[in-house]
Amino acid sequence: MSDETDTSPLLVKGTASARRRDLALRIAIPFLVIALMMLVWYAYVKLSGVPPYILPGPAAVANAFVTDWGTLAPALWVTTKITFMSLMLALVGGVGFAIFLVQSRWVELAFYPLAVILQVTPIVAISPLILIYAPSTQVALLICAFLVAFFPILSNMVQGLKSVDHNLINLFELYGASRWQTLLFLKLPAAQPYFMTGLRIGGGLALIAAVVAEFAAGSAGAGSGLAFRLLEAQYRMNIPRLFAALLMLSMLGVAIFGLTTLIAWLSLHRWHESSIKREN
């Protein structure tokens, strides 16, 4: 008994040390891979002698990132704002519409095909109509991004609400729970993992749709986003600025994915199998 008491702190300390090493490796390995890719990029540009207007080196892109920050930063903010606003609208609309659909089989049969039609229709094809009827270009961009992010959240939420254990539903009915009590205390918590999956997918799609919608809209001026800055850099053959804008979009996408993943982990790590840390 005393031996077990003496060794248990060592086991706890060893487990904590192993977790710290695992975390350090998870952080260090991606950075090492990125650094290796940057080194290969630099060596190729240096050794091949490719002109900067074809493929700039990492130093030229970093210089454009700094010197053009005054132009790129406001465009980044515009794209970020449209992305997050459309994602918030898609969350509210997707969850609300999913709750509406699962109330009745006939309601789902009547209205779910409309959501499917909106999803399978290319956003580039309907963006000219949206630009005509929307009161402003920014509203049109917001609608385009919303339509793309809406369906993944809706479909995942519908699937989650319909995947609740029927034994638990029968238990709630046995205790006299109302339809809304069953929804609030059983179906919505059970659908949370599906919702988080839709959130991660919708976050990335909202950014893609915001950029594609701006390409289609051809918006310019002070209120333009990074998509216009990409086109502007291409037309002016300012390839370092183009790479810098692409880097900004990539960083924004990674940040959105990281944020949605963190939200999912905070929501699920205490109880759901997909996020619980196992020793084996």
Side-chain angles (χ1 to χ4, degrees), residues 87 90-92 94-95 152-161 188-202 263-264 267-268:
L87 181 58
L91 290 176
V92 174
V95 173
I153 297 171
L154 170 66
S155 60
N156 279 278
M157 196 65 190
V158 168
Q159 185 66 29
L161 292 173
L188 287 178
Q192 197 172 356
Y194 295 85
F195 170 77
M196 292 302 167
T197 301
L199 174 64
R200 284 197 295 267
I201 298 172
I263 293 173
S267 302
L268 304 175

Side-chain angles (χ1 to χ4, degrees), residues 28-96:
I29 290 176
F31 279 101
L32 288 175
V33 172
I34 293 174
L36 180 61
M37 292 174 62
M38 296 287 288
L39 183 61
V40 172
W41 179 14
Y42 173 80
Y44 174 77
V45 171
K46 198 73 174 177
L47 296 176
S48 65
V50 60
Y53 57 84
I54 299 296
L55 178 64
V61 175
N63 182 65
F65 194 92
V66 174
T67 56
D68 295 334
W69 178 257
T71 301
L72 296 177
L76 174 64
W77 168 244
V78 171
T79 302
T80 304
K81 182 172 61 175
I82 293 173
T83 300
F84 277 97
M85 288 178 64
S86 63
L87 181 58
M88 292 301 106
L89 291 174
L91 290 176
V92 174
V95 173

Side-chain angles (χ1 to χ4, degrees), residues 219-240:
S219 60
S224 59
L226 278 174
F228 170 72
R229 298 304 172 189
L230 283 169
L231 293 175
E232 181 187 44
Q234 177 189 357
Y235 294 149
R236 297 184 177 182
M237 292 300 292
N238 191 345
I239 307 303

Side-chain angles (χ1 to χ4, degrees), residues 14-36:
T15 303
S17 178
R19 289 179 178 175
R20 286 195 296 269
R21 285 196 302 270
D22 182 66
L23 179 61
L25 287 175
R26 287 176 179 269
I27 296 174
I29 290 176
F31 279 101
L32 288 175
V33 172
I34 293 174
L36 180 61

Side-chain angles (χ1 to χ4, degrees), residues 48-245:
S48 65
V50 60
Y53 57 84
I54 299 296
L55 178 64
V61 175
N63 182 65
F65 194 92
V66 174
T67 56
D68 295 334
W69 178 257
T71 301
L72 296 177
L76 174 64
W77 168 244
V78 171
T79 302
T80 304
K81 182 172 61 175
I82 293 173
T83 300
F84 277 97
M85 288 178 64
S86 63
L87 181 58
M88 292 301 106
L89 291 174
L91 290 176
V92 174
V95 173
F97 197 49
I99 293 173
F100 170 71
L101 289 179
V102 298
Q103 297 307 308
S104 169
R105 179 173 175 269
W106 298 108
V107 171
E108 183 178 358
L109 288 174
F111 291 97
Y112 194 72
L114 298 177
V116 175
I117 291 171
L118 286 176
Q119 173 65 19
V120 299
T121 304
I123 193 64
V124 178
I126 62 175
S127 58
L129 288 175
I130 296 175
L131 287 168
I132 291 172
Y133 296 119
S136 66
T137 302
Q138 296 300 314
V139 174
L141 298 178
L142 187 61
I143 293 173
C144 291
F146 162 78
L147 291 176
V148 174
F150 170 75
F151 188 79
I153 297 171
L154 170 66
S155 60
N156 279 278
M157 196 65 190
V158 168
Q159 185 66 29
L161 292 173
K162 293 171 65 175
S163 300
V164 181
D165 190 344
H166 285 278
N167 293 318
L168 294 177
I169 295 177
N170 294 335
L171 180 63
F172 269 64
E173 292 176 352
L174 179 64
Y175 281 95
S178 66
R179 174 179 291 185
W180 290 109
Q181 286 175 326
T182 304
L183 175 67
L184 290 175
F185 299 111
L186 176 61
K187 290 186 177 181
L188 287 178
Q192 197 172 356
Y194 295 85
F195 170 77
M196 292 302 167
T197 301
L199 174 64
R200 284 197 295 267
I201 298 172
L205 289 179
L207 175 60
I208 295 171
V211 174
V212 172
E214 191 169 355
F215 279 140
S219 60
S224 59
L226 278 174
F228 170 72
R229 298 304 172 189
L230 283 169
L231 293 175
E232 181 187 44
Q234 177 189 357
Y235 294 149
R236 297 184 177 182
M237 292 300 292
N238 191 345
I239 307 303
R241 178 189 285 189
L242 190 150
F243 271 78

